[in-house]
Amino acid sequence: IDTLKIRNLRVDYEKKLIEATSNFPDESEFHITLGDWYIEREEYKKAQSLFKKLHIQDENNDKILYKLWIINLELQDFVSAEYLLTRAHNIKPDNPKYHQILAEIKYNLEKIDESIELMEKAVDLRPGKFEYIEILGRLYKEVNNIHLYYKTLLKLNALDPLNAKVKAELAKLKQ
């Protein structure tokens, strides 16, 4: 199966994966690989069907919930996407990526206070992750919490002292 993908024989690759899922219905690896293939090809309904079956088999698999979240997001079912990622987040509360993505969803639903709380937790879990601190800083700026915005800029500056964008923002605030 892997050789078919490497050789870019897409139709044969998909056929073999479908065959593998039929011959080995309990092997989730084949189902996941086929579902990922459908996501890559933007065939979200097919992928959704596969990942829903996998979810029924293992309701506490955060990675399957994450894949379903991606699919629902692409299908623009934001309510389901929020629910699925919240479930994945509850299963693996120490995954900072779930905090960051859920914060983005909350932000888009205009729940900015919840978004800030989630990003604060993501930064607590990964205090050296520039991207998380930067997002948190933008949220502080948006709600006009200049004190916390300034503190995030200082953290960013400590992580990347050559970042011109951060230096410019710090200079603006010092004026």
Side-chain angles (χ1 to χ4, degrees):
I1 292 174
D2 290 337
T3 305
L4 293 171
K5 185 175 185 181
I6 292 167
R7 293 177 56 207
N8 206 22
L9 300 171
R10 290 180 256 186
V11 173
D12 293 333
Y13 176 71
E14 182 179 359
K15 283 181 184 176
K16 283 292 184 189
L17 278 173
I18 291 170
E19 185 180 314
T21 60
S22 296
N23 292 339
F24 306 99
D26 296 332
E27 288 292 324
S28 62
E29 180 183 338
F30 293 124
H31 295 274
I32 291 169
T33 304
L34 182 58
D36 287 342
W37 171 253
Y38 288 142
I39 290 172
E40 285 176 34
R41 299 184 43 96
E42 298 180 6
E43 296 181 44
Y44 299 114
K45 290 290 187 184
K46 289 180 179 179
Q48 187 178 45
S49 169
L50 280 168
F51 285 112
K52 278 184 176 180
K53 287 177 188 173
L54 289 169
H55 175 63
I56 289 169
Q57 291 172 1
D58 184 1
E59 292 183 5
N60 293 318
N61 186 327
D62 66 301
K63 292 177 180 125
I64 299 301
L65 288 165
Y66 180 77
K67 301 276 185 171
L68 283 167
W69 167 77
I70 291 170
I71 293 163
N72 280 281
L73 199 61
E74 291 296 333
L75 294 173
Q76 298 189 354
D77 183 352
F78 301 115
V79 174
S80 294
E82 179 186 21
Y83 170 77
L84 290 162
L85 196 61
T86 301
R87 288 267 333 272
H89 174 261
N90 290 339
I91 292 168
K92 293 277 180 159
D94 292 338
N95 185 331
K97 188 69 177 169
Y98 292 162
H99 288 279
Q100 185 254 324
I101 296 167
L102 197 52
E104 185 178 336
I105 291 170
K106 298 291 186 183
Y107 178 83
N108 288 325
L109 293 172
E110 297 181 10
K111 299 176 181 177
I112 197 153
D113 290 337
E114 290 178 48
S115 183
I116 288 171
E117 286 176 33
L118 286 160
M119 282 313 302
E120 287 172 339
K121 181 67 176 167
V123 169
D124 287 345
L125 291 168
R126 294 290 185 281
K129 180 99 174 171
F130 190 91
E131 175 189 5
Y132 294 164
I133 300 168
E134 185 178 36
I135 292 168
L136 182 58
R138 279 185 272 161
L139 290 169
Y140 287 146
K141 184 178 182 182
E142 187 167 322
V143 296
N144 210 25
N145 189 333
I146 303 305
H147 175 70
L148 290 176
Y149 176 57
Y150 182 72
K151 285 177 74 171
T152 58
L153 287 173
L154 291 175
K155 284 182 188 177
L156 291 171
N157 191 51
L159 285 173
D160 185 3
L162 301 177
N163 189 309
K165 184 178 166 185
V166 172
K167 286 192 177 303
E169 281 295 307
L170 281 168
K172 273 195 249 179
L173 288 176
K174 288 180 182 177
Q175 292 175 350

